[in-house]
Amino acid sequence: MSTHRPTDPGGAPLDDTDRLLLEHLSKDGRASYAEIGLLANLSATAVRRRIDRLRARGVVRGFTVVLDPALLGWRTEAFVEIYCRERTSPEELLASLRQFPEVAAAWTVTGDPDALVHLRAADTRHLEAVIERIRKEPGVQRSRSSVVLSRLIG
Amino acid sequence: MSTHRPTDPGGAPLDDTDRLLLEHLSKDGRASYAEIGLLANLSATAVRRRIDRLRARGVVRGFTVVLDPALLGWRTEAFVEIYCRERTSPEELLASLRQFPEVAAAWTVTGDPDALVHLRAADTRHLEAVIERIRKEPGVQRSRSSVVLSRLIG
DNA sequence: TATGAAAACCCGCCTGA
DNA sequence: TCAGGCGGGTTTTCATA
């Protein structure tokens, strides 16, 4: 996905240089501007200015450390499809899910279930407990889970 | 999830200081060691040593830039459940999915489908085309998709 | 783009538990 | 022995023009 070029984004589209900088930063988010500049034949100052601009535009939301969840002790993950009660708004659902640190991600989706929740837990025991608590949330009618066997990509 | 403490990870477990450093780095992956040190009452050197150690242990996999997919032109996402043919190995599936830059993430899962694929595309037209191509992969028998309406968390 | 001052980094060496 | 602090030479950042 890093090289594929989607259709014209809103605002001024990124040029190839921006793409190069972002590609490098996605591999090493702490790379110095000078180092990145070598790659793009740019001075460190120019690199910084471009990144500042991308930041201001919102293209760059920030920088973060990439952790290994398994080595942090989160060895079990699952996807839980949530079926809401009638009149449960996405805001209510969000408020419910926000309580759980085990919720790694969540989306509202089309189709039979109303939402899809990505859970991370220490082990299956922990996972079971979290799912149980989510099922008891007032806006949640029922749920259907599948445990992750292995991460292929991402 | 940043503060919850899972069960004893393999190897030496992280102490509270490590946790503090990682929490700060997850919010700002380019924060200076000195700045992080202020938070933890540590010198920049000590911070750097700890992070180097976490890196060596694999807990820290690296650093990266956080981009806004929408502003990059990826405005449509979907989850696709993949049902494989018999004898399709995870490796084959991985090889198939690797071809598509639109595959943001993919996992093998328990339950009815064999895998769950997170797709990012420019628009629904693009999404449809990608799903069509994935369905034609030899190891894939059928698929079932739901389009993401909104990202709640993650 | 260039320059220069301030800040951050990185390395060896030392201390103390 | 292992984690943390100190000193300094080098690199990087960042606001000038």
Side-chain angles (χ1 to χ4, degrees), chain A residues 33-68:
Chain A
Y33 299 137
E35 179 194 323
I36 303 166
L38 288 178
L39 200 77
N41 285 327
L42 242 53
S43 73
T45 312
V47 171
R48 200 188 109 78
R49 285 231 279 261
R50 276 182 182 261
I51 294 170
D52 281 350
R53 221 175 303 144
L54 291 170
R55 224 183 212 292
R57 283 174 53 190
V59 174
V60 168
R61 284 216 277 246
F63 296 87
T64 192
V65 61
V66 182
L67 301 172
D68 184 331

mmCIF file of all heavy atoms in Angstrom, chain A residues 33-68:
data_model
loop_
_atom_site.group_PDB
_atom_site.id
_atom_site.type_symbol
_atom_site.label_atom_id
_atom_site.label_comp_id
_atom_site.label_asym_id
_atom_site.label_seq_id
_atom_site.Cartn_x
_atom_site.Cartn_y
_atom_site.Cartn_z
ATOM 1 N N TYR A 33 16.456 14.258 9.779
ATOM 2 C CA TYR A 33 16.094 14.929 8.532
ATOM 3 C C TYR A 33 17.248 14.857 7.539
ATOM 4 O O TYR A 33 17.033 14.705 6.336
ATOM 5 C CB TYR A 33 15.710 16.375 8.809
ATOM 6 C CG TYR A 33 14.524 16.513 9.714
ATOM 7 C CD1 TYR A 33 14.481 17.447 10.741
ATOM 8 C CD2 TYR A 33 13.416 15.691 9.547
ATOM 9 C CE1 TYR A 33 13.377 17.568 11.568
ATOM 10 C CE2 TYR A 33 12.311 15.789 10.370
ATOM 11 C CZ TYR A 33 12.299 16.734 11.385
ATOM 12 O OH TYR A 33 11.209 16.838 12.199
ATOM 13 N N ALA A 34 18.452 14.960 8.054
ATOM 14 C CA ALA A 34 19.626 14.900 7.175
ATOM 15 C C ALA A 34 19.674 13.549 6.455
ATOM 16 O O ALA A 34 19.898 13.481 5.250
ATOM 17 C CB ALA A 34 20.888 15.110 7.996
ATOM 18 N N GLU A 35 19.453 12.496 7.222
ATOM 19 C CA GLU A 35 19.499 11.157 6.626
ATOM 20 C C GLU A 35 18.436 11.000 5.545
ATOM 21 O O GLU A 35 18.711 10.497 4.449
ATOM 22 C CB GLU A 35 19.277 10.109 7.729
ATOM 23 C CG GLU A 35 19.272 8.691 7.211
ATOM 24 C CD GLU A 35 18.710 7.712 8.235
ATOM 25 O OE1 GLU A 35 18.974 7.902 9.423
ATOM 26 O OE2 GLU A 35 18.013 6.770 7.828
ATOM 27 N N ILE A 36 17.229 11.448 5.843
ATOM 28 C CA ILE A 36 16.146 11.355 4.877
ATOM 29 C C ILE A 36 16.487 12.193 3.650
ATOM 30 O O ILE A 36 16.208 11.815 2.514
ATOM 31 C CB ILE A 36 14.823 11.839 5.495
ATOM 32 C CG1 ILE A 36 14.498 11.028 6.738
ATOM 33 C CG2 ILE A 36 13.690 11.741 4.497
ATOM 34 C CD1 ILE A 36 13.411 11.633 7.600
ATOM 35 N N GLY A 37 17.121 13.333 3.913
ATOM 36 C CA GLY A 37 17.468 14.240 2.826
ATOM 37 C C GLY A 37 18.413 13.607 1.817
ATOM 38 O O GLY A 37 18.273 13.820 0.614
ATOM 39 N N LEU A 38 19.343 12.812 2.306
ATOM 40 C CA LEU A 38 20.283 12.146 1.401
ATOM 41 C C LEU A 38 19.534 11.320 0.355
ATOM 42 O O LEU A 38 19.874 11.304 -0.817
ATOM 43 C CB LEU A 38 21.218 11.219 2.197
ATOM 44 C CG LEU A 38 22.266 11.915 3.066
ATOM 45 C CD1 LEU A 38 23.082 10.887 3.828
ATOM 46 C CD2 LEU A 38 23.155 12.789 2.195
ATOM 47 N N LEU A 39 18.498 10.649 0.834
ATOM 48 C CA LEU A 39 17.702 9.774 -0.024
ATOM 49 C C LEU A 39 16.999 10.552 -1.122
ATOM 50 O O LEU A 39 16.809 10.048 -2.235
ATOM 51 C CB LEU A 39 16.664 9.072 0.853
ATOM 52 C CG LEU A 39 16.057 7.804 0.307
ATOM 53 C CD1 LEU A 39 17.033 6.670 0.456
ATOM 54 C CD2 LEU A 39 14.770 7.489 1.050
ATOM 55 N N ALA A 40 16.600 11.772 -0.808
ATOM 56 C CA ALA A 40 15.762 12.531 -1.740
ATOM 57 C C ALA A 40 16.536 13.694 -2.368
ATOM 58 O O ALA A 40 15.927 14.523 -3.046
ATOM 59 C CB ALA A 40 14.530 13.051 -1.016
ATOM 60 N N ASN A 41 17.844 13.732 -2.133
ATOM 61 C CA ASN A 41 18.647 14.854 -2.623
ATOM 62 C C ASN A 41 18.097 16.186 -2.126
ATOM 63 O O ASN A 41 17.888 17.117 -2.903
ATOM 64 C CB ASN A 41 18.715 14.867 -4.158
ATOM 65 C CG ASN A 41 19.642 13.793 -4.663
ATOM 66 O OD1 ASN A 41 20.640 13.471 -4.018
ATOM 67 N ND2 ASN A 41 19.305 13.216 -5.796
ATOM 68 N N LEU A 42 17.850 16.235 -0.842
ATOM 69 C CA LEU A 42 17.294 17.443 -0.242
ATOM 70 C C LEU A 42 18.116 17.789 0.989
ATOM 71 O O LEU A 42 18.682 16.903 1.623
ATOM 72 C CB LEU A 42 15.850 17.167 0.190
ATOM 73 C CG LEU A 42 14.724 17.970 -0.460
ATOM 74 C CD1 LEU A 42 14.814 17.896 -1.959
ATOM 75 C CD2 LEU A 42 13.390 17.414 -0.008
ATOM 76 N N SER A 43 18.164 19.064 1.294
ATOM 77 C CA SER A 43 18.821 19.461 2.531
ATOM 78 C C SER A 43 17.918 19.098 3.706
ATOM 79 O O SER A 43 16.706 18.932 3.546
ATOM 80 C CB SER A 43 19.076 20.960 2.537
ATOM 81 O OG SER A 43 17.872 21.658 2.725
ATOM 82 N N ALA A 44 18.517 18.978 4.866
ATOM 83 C CA ALA A 44 17.753 18.634 6.064
ATOM 84 C C ALA A 44 16.639 19.649 6.288
ATOM 85 O O ALA A 44 15.518 19.294 6.658
ATOM 86 C CB ALA A 44 18.676 18.577 7.271
ATOM 87 N N THR A 45 16.956 20.898 6.050
ATOM 88 C CA THR A 45 15.962 21.957 6.232
ATOM 89 C C THR A 45 14.759 21.731 5.318
ATOM 90 O O THR A 45 13.605 21.845 5.751
ATOM 91 C CB THR A 45 16.570 23.327 5.918
ATOM 92 O OG1 THR A 45 17.809 23.439 6.594
ATOM 93 C CG2 THR A 45 15.646 24.435 6.347
ATOM 94 N N ALA A 46 15.024 21.431 4.071
ATOM 95 C CA ALA A 46 13.935 21.219 3.114
ATOM 96 C C ALA A 46 13.067 20.041 3.540
ATOM 97 O O ALA A 46 11.836 20.091 3.454
ATOM 98 C CB ALA A 46 14.509 20.980 1.725
ATOM 99 N N VAL A 47 13.731 18.989 4.027
ATOM 100 C CA VAL A 47 12.977 17.820 4.490
ATOM 101 C C VAL A 47 12.065 18.215 5.637
ATOM 102 O O VAL A 47 10.873 17.900 5.648
ATOM 103 C CB VAL A 47 13.932 16.701 4.948
ATOM 104 C CG1 VAL A 47 13.152 15.582 5.618
ATOM 105 C CG2 VAL A 47 14.739 16.169 3.776
ATOM 106 N N ARG A 48 12.632 18.934 6.585
ATOM 107 C CA ARG A 48 11.856 19.352 7.747
ATOM 108 C C ARG A 48 10.639 20.171 7.338
ATOM 109 O O ARG A 48 9.548 20.004 7.857
ATOM 110 C CB ARG A 48 12.737 20.154 8.690
ATOM 111 C CG ARG A 48 12.190 20.205 10.095
ATOM 112 C CD ARG A 48 12.967 21.164 10.938
ATOM 113 N NE ARG A 48 12.164 22.328 11.221
ATOM 114 C CZ ARG A 48 11.210 22.368 12.132
ATOM 115 N NH1 ARG A 48 10.924 21.296 12.829
ATOM 116 N NH2 ARG A 48 10.526 23.453 12.338
ATOM 117 N N ARG A 49 10.858 21.081 6.409
ATOM 118 C CA ARG A 49 9.755 21.942 5.989
ATOM 119 C C ARG A 49 8.648 21.142 5.330
ATOM 120 O O ARG A 49 7.472 21.384 5.545
ATOM 121 C CB ARG A 49 10.279 23.016 5.057
ATOM 122 C CG ARG A 49 11.026 24.075 5.827
ATOM 123 C CD ARG A 49 10.541 25.453 5.491
ATOM 124 N NE ARG A 49 11.159 25.902 4.240
ATOM 125 C CZ ARG A 49 12.219 26.709 4.208
ATOM 126 N NH1 ARG A 49 12.754 27.137 5.332
ATOM 127 N NH2 ARG A 49 12.719 27.078 3.063
ATOM 128 N N ARG A 50 9.040 20.173 4.517
ATOM 129 C CA ARG A 50 8.030 19.345 3.872
ATOM 130 C C ARG A 50 7.240 18.549 4.904
ATOM 131 O O ARG A 50 6.011 18.450 4.827
ATOM 132 C CB ARG A 50 8.689 18.361 2.891
ATOM 133 C CG ARG A 50 8.955 18.959 1.528
ATOM 134 C CD ARG A 50 9.551 17.934 0.581
ATOM 135 N NE ARG A 50 9.837 18.532 -0.707
ATOM 136 C CZ ARG A 50 9.044 18.416 -1.761
ATOM 137 N NH1 ARG A 50 7.921 17.737 -1.674
ATOM 138 N NH2 ARG A 50 9.365 18.992 -2.903
ATOM 139 N N ILE A 51 7.960 18.012 5.878
ATOM 140 C CA ILE A 51 7.263 17.206 6.879
ATOM 141 C C ILE A 51 6.363 18.088 7.736
ATOM 142 O O ILE A 51 5.245 17.713 8.072
ATOM 143 C CB ILE A 51 8.265 16.402 7.723
ATOM 144 C CG1 ILE A 51 8.950 15.375 6.834
ATOM 145 C CG2 ILE A 51 7.567 15.715 8.880
ATOM 146 C CD1 ILE A 51 10.121 14.681 7.462
ATOM 147 N N ASP A 52 6.848 19.277 8.065
ATOM 148 C CA ASP A 52 6.007 20.222 8.807
ATOM 149 C C ASP A 52 4.722 20.517 8.034
ATOM 150 O O ASP A 52 3.635 20.580 8.615
ATOM 151 C CB ASP A 52 6.770 21.531 9.056
ATOM 152 C CG ASP A 52 7.755 21.403 10.213
ATOM 153 O OD1 ASP A 52 7.697 20.375 10.922
ATOM 154 O OD2 ASP A 52 8.584 22.306 10.398
ATOM 155 N N ARG A 53 4.888 20.689 6.723
ATOM 156 C CA ARG A 53 3.721 21.003 5.890
ATOM 157 C C ARG A 53 2.741 19.828 5.900
ATOM 158 O O ARG A 53 1.525 20.015 6.026
ATOM 159 C CB ARG A 53 4.195 21.293 4.457
ATOM 160 C CG ARG A 53 3.504 22.454 3.783
ATOM 161 C CD ARG A 53 4.122 22.723 2.419
ATOM 162 N NE ARG A 53 5.564 22.980 2.502
ATOM 163 C CZ ARG A 53 6.448 22.583 1.589
ATOM 164 N NH1 ARG A 53 6.065 21.905 0.532
ATOM 165 N NH2 ARG A 53 7.724 22.885 1.732
ATOM 166 N N LEU A 54 3.275 18.614 5.777
ATOM 167 C CA LEU A 54 2.418 17.427 5.778
ATOM 168 C C LEU A 54 1.714 17.279 7.119
ATOM 169 O O LEU A 54 0.568 16.841 7.191
ATOM 170 C CB LEU A 54 3.249 16.178 5.469
ATOM 171 C CG LEU A 54 3.769 16.096 4.037
ATOM 172 C CD1 LEU A 54 4.778 14.967 3.898
ATOM 173 C CD2 LEU A 54 2.611 15.910 3.070
ATOM 174 N N ARG A 55 2.410 17.659 8.159
ATOM 175 C CA ARG A 55 1.838 17.624 9.498
ATOM 176 C C ARG A 55 0.681 18.614 9.593
ATOM 177 O O ARG A 55 -0.391 18.297 10.099
ATOM 178 C CB ARG A 55 2.918 18.030 10.489
ATOM 179 C CG ARG A 55 3.007 17.181 11.730
ATOM 180 C CD ARG A 55 4.083 17.817 12.597
ATOM 181 N NE ARG A 55 4.810 16.844 13.389
ATOM 182 C CZ ARG A 55 4.272 16.154 14.401
ATOM 183 N NH1 ARG A 55 3.005 16.311 14.711
ATOM 184 N NH2 ARG A 55 5.003 15.318 15.078
ATOM 185 N N ALA A 56 0.925 19.830 9.093
ATOM 186 C CA ALA A 56 -0.094 20.885 9.156
ATOM 187 C C ALA A 56 -1.330 20.476 8.343
ATOM 188 O O ALA A 56 -2.462 20.771 8.740
ATOM 189 C CB ALA A 56 0.482 22.193 8.630
ATOM 190 N N ARG A 57 -1.104 19.795 7.241
ATOM 191 C CA ARG A 57 -2.223 19.368 6.400
ATOM 192 C C ARG A 57 -2.961 18.186 6.998
ATOM 193 O O ARG A 57 -4.042 17.826 6.528
ATOM 194 C CB ARG A 57 -1.710 18.985 5.007
ATOM 195 C CG ARG A 57 -1.401 20.162 4.126
ATOM 196 C CD ARG A 57 -0.772 19.715 2.834
ATOM 197 N NE ARG A 57 -1.556 18.702 2.140
ATOM 198 C CZ ARG A 57 -1.120 18.010 1.092
ATOM 199 N NH1 ARG A 57 0.096 18.218 0.634
ATOM 200 N NH2 ARG A 57 -1.886 17.122 0.517
ATOM 201 N N GLY A 58 -2.358 17.540 7.980
ATOM 202 C CA GLY A 58 -3.013 16.401 8.616
ATOM 203 C C GLY A 58 -2.643 15.073 7.992
ATOM 204 O O GLY A 58 -3.089 14.028 8.463
ATOM 205 N N VAL A 59 -1.874 15.117 6.914
ATOM 206 C CA VAL A 59 -1.454 13.860 6.284
ATOM 207 C C VAL A 59 -0.613 13.065 7.276
ATOM 208 O O VAL A 59 -0.824 11.873 7.475
ATOM 209 C CB VAL A 59 -0.656 14.132 4.992
ATOM 210 C CG1 VAL A 59 -0.106 12.833 4.420
ATOM 211 C CG2 VAL A 59 -1.528 14.846 3.968
ATOM 212 N N VAL A 60 0.319 13.759 7.905
ATOM 213 C CA VAL A 60 1.095 13.156 8.992
ATOM 214 C C VAL A 60 0.392 13.467 10.310
ATOM 215 O O VAL A 60 0.277 14.620 10.697
ATOM 216 C CB VAL A 60 2.534 13.708 9.018
ATOM 217 C CG1 VAL A 60 3.238 13.307 10.312
ATOM 218 C CG2 VAL A 60 3.310 13.209 7.808
ATOM 219 N N ARG A 61 -0.089 12.423 10.948
ATOM 220 C CA ARG A 61 -0.793 12.634 12.215
ATOM 221 C C ARG A 61 0.168 12.653 13.391
ATOM 222 O O ARG A 61 -0.166 13.176 14.453
ATOM 223 C CB ARG A 61 -1.818 11.522 12.426
ATOM 224 C CG ARG A 61 -3.064 11.671 11.576
ATOM 225 C CD ARG A 61 -4.274 11.198 12.346
ATOM 226 N NE ARG A 61 -4.404 9.747 12.262
ATOM 227 C CZ ARG A 61 -5.406 9.123 11.642
ATOM 228 N NH1 ARG A 61 -6.358 9.810 11.065
ATOM 229 N NH2 ARG A 61 -5.461 7.824 11.614
ATOM 230 N N GLY A 62 1.325 12.043 13.229
ATOM 231 C CA GLY A 62 2.287 12.012 14.318
ATOM 232 C C GLY A 62 3.267 10.874 14.119
ATOM 233 O O GLY A 62 3.349 10.296 13.038
ATOM 234 N N PHE A 63 3.983 10.582 15.182
ATOM 235 C CA PHE A 63 4.974 9.508 15.140
ATOM 236 C C PHE A 63 4.775 8.614 16.346
ATOM 237 O O PHE A 63 4.363 9.079 17.398
ATOM 238 C CB PHE A 63 6.387 10.094 15.144
ATOM 239 C CG PHE A 63 6.689 10.912 13.922
ATOM 240 C CD1 PHE A 63 6.366 12.262 13.872
ATOM 241 C CD2 PHE A 63 7.273 10.325 12.819
ATOM 242 C CE1 PHE A 63 6.622 13.017 12.737
ATOM 243 C CE2 PHE A 63 7.531 11.064 11.685
ATOM 244 C CZ PHE A 63 7.211 12.410 11.637
ATOM 245 N N THR A 64 5.084 7.348 16.165
ATOM 246 C CA THR A 64 4.871 6.440 17.295
ATOM 247 C C THR A 64 5.874 5.292 17.283
ATOM 248 O O THR A 64 6.538 5.045 16.280
ATOM 249 C CB THR A 64 3.428 5.890 17.294
ATOM 250 O OG1 THR A 64 3.183 5.246 18.542
ATOM 251 C CG2 THR A 64 3.224 4.887 16.171
ATOM 252 N N VAL A 65 5.951 4.643 18.422
ATOM 253 C CA VAL A 65 6.803 3.466 18.547
ATOM 254 C C VAL A 65 5.985 2.237 18.154
ATOM 255 O O VAL A 65 4.790 2.170 18.423
ATOM 256 C CB VAL A 65 7.338 3.356 19.993
ATOM 257 C CG1 VAL A 65 6.187 3.205 20.985
ATOM 258 C CG2 VAL A 65 8.307 2.189 20.142
ATOM 259 N N VAL A 66 6.607 1.294 17.492
ATOM 260 C CA VAL A 66 5.936 0.053 17.119
ATOM 261 C C VAL A 66 6.344 -1.025 18.115
ATOM 262 O O VAL A 66 7.522 -1.359 18.222
ATOM 263 C CB VAL A 66 6.328 -0.390 15.698
ATOM 264 C CG1 VAL A 66 5.583 -1.662 15.308
ATOM 265 C CG2 VAL A 66 6.064 0.724 14.706
ATOM 266 N N LEU A 67 5.384 -1.530 18.846
ATOM 267 C CA LEU A 67 5.665 -2.521 19.883
ATOM 268 C C LEU A 67 5.242 -3.907 19.430
ATOM 269 O O LEU A 67 4.391 -4.054 18.570
ATOM 270 C CB LEU A 67 4.910 -2.140 21.156
ATOM 271 C CG LEU A 67 5.258 -0.761 21.706
ATOM 272 C CD1 LEU A 67 4.318 -0.382 22.844
ATOM 273 C CD2 LEU A 67 6.705 -0.741 22.170
ATOM 274 N N ASP A 68 5.836 -4.918 20.033
ATOM 275 C CA ASP A 68 5.431 -6.291 19.775
ATOM 276 C C ASP A 68 4.441 -6.712 20.857
ATOM 277 O O ASP A 68 4.830 -6.931 21.997
ATOM 278 C CB ASP A 68 6.664 -7.197 19.798
ATOM 279 C CG ASP A 68 6.297 -8.624 19.431
ATOM 280 O OD1 ASP A 68 5.155 -9.044 19.690
ATOM 281 O OD2 ASP A 68 7.154 -9.322 18.878
#
